[in-house]
Amino acid sequence: MNDIFDGLTSVINGGNIKALKTPCYVIDEKKLVKNAVILSSVISHTGCKILLAQKAFSNYDFYPLISGFISGTEASGLYEARLGKEEMPEGEVHVFCAAYRDDEFDELLSYADHIVFNSINQLKKFGAVAKQHGKSVGLRINPECSTQEGHEIYDPCAVGSRLGVTRNVWDKEMTPDLFELLDGIHFHTLCEQGSDALEITLKAVEEKFGDVLPKMKWINMGGGHHITKEDYDVELLERLIISAKEKWGVEVYLEPGEAVAINAGYLLTRVLDVVENSDVKIAILDSSAACHMPDVIEMPYTPPLMNACADKTKAFRFRLAGPTCLSGDVIGDYSFDSEIATGDLLVFGDMAIYTTCKNNTFNGMPLPDIYSLKPDGTFEKLTDFGYKDFKNRLGKPE
Ligand SMILES: Cc1ncc(COP(=O)(O)O)c(C=O)c1O
C-alpha cells in the first residue's frame, strides 16, 4: 500500500500539494512510465503488440509520454477511435464495439486500423466495406469460460452475455464468404486477473476455436490482464503469448487499460464536515464516490487512502462519504492514527483508471481539475472545469 503513495510522500512534505484546489486528480508521470516500461519489456520479450484500452485511461496529455513504449490504442467507439488517431498517431488504432451505427461507420473507417465485430450480423453488414477500405477485420468470440467470481457485470462470459460469438452461434451462422473476411479473432474475458486465468481461458479458446485460429493473422486477447501489478506472473504471460504465436502462427495483441495506468493517479480531496450516527463518525468530503470514482460503487471496492487503512487496525475510525444526496455515496470505512477534521487533505490512490473518463456531474457536482505530477515533484494543471461543463450537457449551450 505504501508503494502506491511513494511518489507523493516527498511532494507532500515539500508542501506545494497543499496549494491545489480540491477535489482534483493528479496523474503521476513517473508511475505511468514505470508501468509502460514493464509493458514494453513484454513486447520486446515476445514480439506481441500492446494497446492502451482508452476506456480505462484516456488523458491524452500523457500519450506522448507512453506512446514510445506501447503499440497504439484500443477504442470502444467513434470518439475514442478519433482520440487515439489524433493523439497517438504513430500507433495502431483498434476498435471494438458491441454494435456499430450506420451513420458513424464511414468516419470510423477513417480512424481505425483494426475493426472487431461482436456478431456475425455485424460482420455481414459492415465487414466487406471495412475490408474494401483496407482494414484488418476481426470477430469477437465468447469462449464461455468464466474465470472470475462475484463481479457478474464485469464477466463477458456470464450466461446470457451479449459479448462475443459462442461456438454454437458460429456453427449456425458463419458462412464461407463471411469467414473469408476475417483476419483475426478477439476475446476479452478477464478483469483485474493474473496470467493463470489467461492460461485457463486460452485452453477454452483452443478447445472451442482451435480449428479456426491457424487460419487467422492475429489474435487479440483483450484486456483485464493485471500485468503491472506486483504479484503478476509476467513470465507465464510471456510463455502463453509465445506459445500462441508458435501454435497458431498468429500475431498477438493485448489491450489492457488498467495495467497501463494502475496506481498512477491520486484523487485529492478535503474534509468538509464530520457528522456522527450510531457511533459511526462520518467525514463528508468535497469529492463523491458516485461522481468522481464511480467504480467504487459499481464494482464495488474500497480505494487505498494515504496514511490510513481500509480496516479497523488504527485507533481512529471514520466512514468517508461524498456530499451528494445519494445515501450510498460512501467511499468506505477507514482507520487513522489520529482524528480527522474539517479542512484536512486526504489522498486516494489508484485514481488514474476508470475515473477521469467515467466521472459525472450528478447533483451539479463540479468535475475535479486534472494535474500532472512531474518527475521533479512539481504540478502542472492540465484542465479545469466549471459551471459551463455542467450546464452545456443539459440544454442549449451558452
Ligand atoms: C474489449 C475490452 N478490451 C479491453 C478492456 C480493458 O480492460 P482493463 O482495463 O481491465 O485492462 C476492456 C474492459 O472492459 C474491454 O471490454
Side-chain angles (χ1 to χ4, degrees):
M1 162 101 39
N2 284 339
D3 188 41
I4 296 178
F5 297 103
D6 61 3
L8 267 193
T9 316
S10 58
V11 178
I12 285 195
N13 294 339
N16 57 352
I17 201 170
K18 299 204 173 105
L20 303 184
K21 180 174 161 275
T22 58
C24 66
Y25 301 106
V26 173
I27 311 291
D28 187 331
E29 293 194 1
K30 273 209 253 179
K31 294 283 180 78
L32 269 181
V33 171
K34 187 177 165 202
N35 291 339
V37 166
I38 296 171
L39 299 175
S40 162
S41 80
V42 174
I43 293 175
S44 61
H45 290 163
T46 64
C48 77
K49 293 193 174 173
I50 299 187
L51 310 163
L52 160 68
Q54 295 177 99
K55 70 197 79 196
F57 180 76
S58 36
N59 295 100
Y60 53 87
D61 290 295
F62 301 92
Y63 288 9
L65 191 68
I66 57 174
S67 63
F69 296 95
I70 59 174
S71 319
T73 52
E74 188 266 344
S76 312
L78 186 66
Y79 291 168
E80 282 187 356
R82 177 172 172 182
L83 191 70
K85 183 77 179 170
E86 285 179 358
E87 302 295 337
M88 207 186 284
E90 62 279 37
E92 296 179 24
V93 176
H94 292 218
V95 191
F96 164 77
C97 184
Y100 296 101
R101 297 169 59 104
D102 289 316
D103 58 352
E104 289 183 356
F105 202 74
D106 280 350
E107 189 184 344
L108 194 66
L109 289 171
S110 70
Y111 309 132
D113 299 300
H114 282 215
I115 298 192
V116 177
F117 297 102
N118 184 52
S119 72
I120 294 177
N121 292 333
Q122 287 261 303
L123 174 65
K124 197 184 288 176
K125 186 166 178 188
F126 295 113
V129 68
K131 220 48 207 267
Q132 281 152 22
H133 282 77
K135 307 301 162 187
S136 201
V137 168
L139 186 65
R140 178 167 174 171
I141 54 150
N142 184 330
E144 298 172 88
C145 173
S146 290
T147 51
Q148 46 181 307
E149 275 168 24
H151 292 305
E152 196 154 308
I153 68 161
Y154 291 109
D155 183 3
C157 292
V159 174
S161 165
R162 73 192 182 294
L163 297 166
V165 176
T166 60
R167 184 66 207 217
N168 191 23
V169 170
W170 175 295
D171 287 340
K172 276 198 276 198
E173 297 181 12
M174 184 57 81
T175 58
D177 55 325
L178 293 175
F179 186 73
E180 270 291 290
L181 295 172
L182 286 184
D183 297 296
I185 289 294
H186 177 287
F187 68 85
H188 168 78
T189 63
L190 307 182
C191 179
E192 299 188 337
Q193 284 173 276
S195 39
D196 50 341
L198 177 63
E199 186 171 33
I200 294 167
T201 304
L202 278 168
K203 282 192 184 123
V205 167
E206 181 167 22
E207 217 174 279
K208 295 241 158 78
F209 294 93
D211 56 330
V212 167
L213 286 162
K215 297 172 188 145
M216 296 293 125
K217 295 193 181 102
W218 50 263
I219 183 165
N220 184 326
M221 300 182 185
H225 315 277
H226 241 177
I227 305 168
T228 47
K229 229 180 154 213
E230 266 157 36
D231 54 354
Y232 188 90
D233 186 347
V234 179
E235 278 178 23
L236 175 59
L237 172 71
E238 293 180 350
R239 283 202 302 280
L240 293 171
I241 294 171
I242 291 167
S243 145
K245 285 176 68 156
E246 287 171 354
K247 201 181 325 176
W248 299 317
V250 287
E251 188 159 20
V252 172
Y253 287 91
L254 303 179
E255 49 182 38
E258 287 214 25
V260 177
I262 194 169
N263 293 331
Y266 317 96
L267 177 59
L268 273 53
T269 181
R270 282 193 169 79
V271 178
L272 296 176
D273 194 12
V274 178
V275 297
E276 233 180 283
N277 183 329
S278 319
D279 290 336
V280 181
K281 284 187 177 170
I282 306 143
I284 301 176
L285 310 181
D286 63 8
S287 63
S288 151
C291 299
H292 305 143
M293 39 183 131
D295 274 6
V296 162
I297 293 176
E298 199 174 287
M299 197 138 185
Y301 78 106
T302 306
L305 180 68
M306 193 172 188
N307 298 328
C309 292
D311 56 28
K312 296 179 176 169
T313 45
K314 293 181 183 256
F316 297 88
R317 292 170 199 163
F318 287 83
R319 176 163 299 164
L320 303 185
T324 70
C325 66
L326 177 73
S327 311
D329 190 357
V330 171
I331 300 150
D333 289 351
Y334 295 86
S335 64
F336 299 78
D337 287 326
S338 55
E339 292 280 356
I340 56 171
T342 301
D344 283 356
L345 177 71
L346 301 179
V347 180
F348 289 102
D350 200 16
M351 282 290 152
I353 46 177
Y354 294 105
T355 50
T356 51
C357 51
K358 210 174 167 178
N359 55 17
N360 64 77
T361 58
F362 177 55
N363 273 211
M365 285 288 295
L367 296 171
D369 299 343
I370 303 178
Y371 287 83
S372 165
L373 173 58
K374 302 282 172 194
D376 65 2
T378 57
F379 296 96
E380 182 193 356
K381 190 196 268 190
L382 302 176
T383 184
D384 51 27
F385 304 94
Y387 177 62
K388 274 193 184 165
D389 298 290
F390 163 67
K391 188 177 175 192
N392 288 349
R393 293 171 59 236
L394 301 170
K396 284 187 190 165
E398 293 216 313

